[in-house]
Amino acid sequence: MPKELQPEMDGKGLRVALVVARFNEFVTRRLLEGAVETLGRHGVSDDDIVLSWVPGSFELPVVAKTLGQTGQYDAVICLGAVIRGETDHYNMVAGQAAAGISAVGRETGVPTIFGVLTTENMEQAINRAGGKSGNLGSNAAAAAIETARLVQAIKTG
Ligand code: INI
């Protein structure tokens, strides 16, 4: 049987950085609430969470990278809401945020979580930010804990 690495969903002692886009703040505040609630439920202390706001989702990667490079965090969670408008600005912002956040994780080695909603309209966004379709911020927090613990387990052998 293979030796399976099974990260515990225990957040105690984990240091987590949250980066949140102010654009569509009505939605992103709810993502933030979901993330903080889930981190706390899994044992992450308030004292071990830092929060940075950025203007929009496009700015998430550069701040996530700066945080990751400090070596002070076990995970960085990026939260944003990109809602399709009249122009193709949506595609640019959503695509660059996704590619940038993905690159940050690879470059820093720090789990960097994509908690950016991409929806056709505000109603869909609200549904997925604590409404009837759950809360992506909460999912992002759970992904951060699991991935951070897995990385630790791999490093410690
Ligand atoms: N930023 C978002 O987070 N969501 C959006 O829906 C959005 N739209 O549609 O424009 C958005 N634009 C701002 C962008 O993220 C940058 O802050 C801006 O372009 C300055 O670099």
Side-chain angles (χ1 to χ4, degrees):
M1 284 292 283
K3 179 185 168 196
E4 187 174 330
L5 297 175
Q6 286 184 320
E8 281 187 39
M9 284 302 289
D10 177 12
K12 194 158 176 273
L14 287 182
R15 302 154 305 163
V16 178
L18 287 156
V19 193
V20 188
R22 206 177 296 111
F23 204 101
N24 291 320
E25 185 177 341
F26 181 77
V27 175
T28 61
R29 271 203 183 272
R30 280 155 183 74
L31 297 178
L32 173 61
E33 285 165 12
V36 169
E37 190 275 326
T38 297
L39 290 173
R41 189 156 36 80
H42 288 282
V44 180
S45 163
D46 274 353
D47 293 339
D48 289 330
I49 304 173
V50 297
L51 168 63
S52 309
W53 287 91
V54 294
S57 295
F58 192 84
E59 285 73 38
L60 289 168
V62 65
V63 174
K65 183 168 185 177
T66 307
L67 287 159
Q69 284 175 328
T70 65
Q72 292 176 24
Y73 303 102
D74 298 297
V76 179
I77 300 173
C78 299
L79 301 176
V82 189
I83 300 173
R84 190 183 287 280
E86 301 284 304
T87 70
D88 68 353
H89 201 64
Y90 163 96
N91 291 324
M92 302 286 189
V93 174
Q96 291 303 315
I101 291 165
S102 164
V104 169
R106 290 194 302 275
E107 288 163 11
T108 63
V110 177
T112 304
I113 307 300
F114 183 66
V116 179
L117 275 175
T118 54
T119 64
E120 293 296 320
N121 55 51
M122 180 58 84
E123 187 188 355
Q124 289 175 351
I126 291 169
N127 284 345
R128 290 158 62 186
K132 61 186 178 192
S133 305
N135 188 318
L136 184 75
S138 179
N139 298 347
I145 293 168
E146 180 179 345
T147 314
R149 287 293 185 216
L150 179 59
V151 166
Q152 285 180 341
I154 293 166
K155 285 182 176 170
T156 56

